Amino acid sequence: MFRNVVILSGAGVSCAAGIPDFRTPGTGLYDNLQRYNLPEPEDVFDLDFYRNNPRPFVSLVQELWPGQNKHKPTITHSFIKLMDKKGILRRNFTQNIDGLEVLAGVSEDKVYECHGNFRTASCVDCKSDFGGERCKRAMLAGIIPTCDHCGGPVKPDIVFFGEPLAPQFSDLVRQDLPQADLLIVIGTSLKIPPVCLIPELVKCPRLLLNKECVGTFGPGSASPGPLDLFFECECDAGVRKLCQMAGWETELDSIHATQA
């Protein structure tokens, strides 16, 4: 029985909630940003671009901001909650900024949102606290918030290109990964460092639930582990299969029913 499970989750876990991933051709978020006439779609999350033109991001977050009852936790989020409830979740490192893990009831101290969240906000220039709720009210009204102290642009505390991850990320990696007895990677392309390096830092069995084999899981990789498993699947179908095998499907459905 595993006792210290680390879950690394990406945008794929939230697709069933109606939140597009970033890179799927035709439906991914980057493909759907064409209406903003950006030089590159990634510019909507670029710090220098935001300083000069925050309007595309402000328009985008009117759809993405959590807590508007537009998006609800998926079966996969309920699976993470189930692992937490059973006391075997060491940590969920999520690359997502939608906050659905916390909304699903996963203990906040068990979730590390690697790329930040919308619950707090600060000035891009002087870093003064602005207040998450205040930033939310402004942006959902289409207003670009500015700092009370220096007049600089304000944004929620999500990590943009050009910004480092918080030091806590490295601290938790050093604490959690040596203790992990199972790593489950779900719904990610494993392309954005440093988070994508997590699977290379564990010594335990690794399970990938994904639509494609990525990172060091493939047979052609330089460092596939002897206990690696890859299950080609949609995220929700994959975690349901795991729960069926473990005899946990009824518990999974019971938890998910509370999310409706």
Side-chain angles (χ1 to χ4, degrees):
M1 179 68 177
F2 298 109
R3 298 293 182 186
N4 286 285
V5 179
V6 172
I7 297 176
L8 170 57
S9 52
V13 307
S14 294
C15 288
I19 301 174
D21 64 12
F22 288 89
R23 294 176 176 80
T24 299
T27 61
L29 180 62
Y30 287 154
D31 268 10
N32 291 325
L33 289 172
Q34 296 178 7
R35 63 184 182 274
Y36 298 119
N37 297 315
L38 301 172
E40 298 291 338
E42 293 89 345
D43 287 341
V44 74
F45 295 115
D46 182 88
L47 194 60
D48 290 333
F49 187 90
Y50 183 76
R51 282 191 174 100
N52 294 315
N53 182 13
R55 176 58 61 189
F57 177 78
V58 172
S59 298
L60 177 66
V61 298
Q62 290 177 315
E63 170 64 25
L64 294 182
W65 202 294
Q68 301 183 75
N69 293 320
K70 292 182 179 180
H71 309 292
K72 296 186 182 297
T74 66
I75 285 284
T76 304
H77 295 111
S78 296
F79 169 75
I80 300 171
K81 164 65 176 175
L82 177 60
M83 301 290 275
D84 183 21
K85 180 181 176 183
K86 288 186 173 294
I88 60 175
L89 179 66
R90 174 81 185 197
R91 195 82 58 197
N92 173 205
F93 290 94
T94 177
Q95 299 173 87
N96 298 332
I97 57 174
D98 52 44
L100 290 180
E101 298 85 7
V102 174
L103 192 61
V106 183
S107 304
E108 287 194 37
D109 64 333
K110 294 293 186 180
V111 178
Y112 185 71
E113 295 158 313
C114 302
H115 296 150
N117 60 69
F118 286 88
R119 293 187 293 277
T120 58
S122 56
C123 175
V124 167
D125 293 331
C126 75
K127 311 304 180 187
S128 295
D129 178 61
F130 187 82
E133 282 300 315
R134 186 181 174 199
C135 182
K136 175 182 178 179
R137 288 193 299 271
M139 288 192 169
L140 293 188
I143 298 168
I144 299 168
T146 55
C147 179
D148 299 322
H149 301 280
C150 73
V154 167
K155 71 171 183 66
D157 290 332
I158 60 175
V159 179
F160 275 28
F161 295 115
E163 289 186 298
L165 269 62
Q168 188 184 8
F169 171 74
S170 296
D171 294 341
L172 291 177
V173 164
R174 285 192 292 266
Q175 292 172 26
D176 293 335
L177 299 193
Q179 302 300 320
D181 52 16
L182 175 65
L183 173 71
I184 305 177
V185 180
I186 315 177
T188 173
S189 61
L190 289 179
K191 288 184 177 179
I192 304 297
V195 182
C196 69
L197 301 177
I198 286 177
E200 301 178 36
L201 300 175
V202 298
K203 302 298 183 183
C204 62
R206 309 185 308 173
L207 171 64
L208 174 64
L209 305 177
N210 218 32
K211 290 194 291 187
E212 58 183 350
C213 195
V214 295
T216 57
F217 282 87
S221 168
S223 57
L227 298 179
D228 287 354
L229 290 174
F230 166 51
F231 182 22
E232 183 179 352
C233 61
E234 298 287 347
C235 300
D236 286 357
V239 300
R240 181 172 291 281
K241 181 65 174 178
L242 286 183
C243 288
Q244 288 172 346
M245 294 170 66
W248 296 347
E249 188 174 20
T250 299
E251 292 176 86
L252 176 70
D253 287 334
S254 177
I255 288 174
H256 191 60
T258 67
Q259 314 294 342

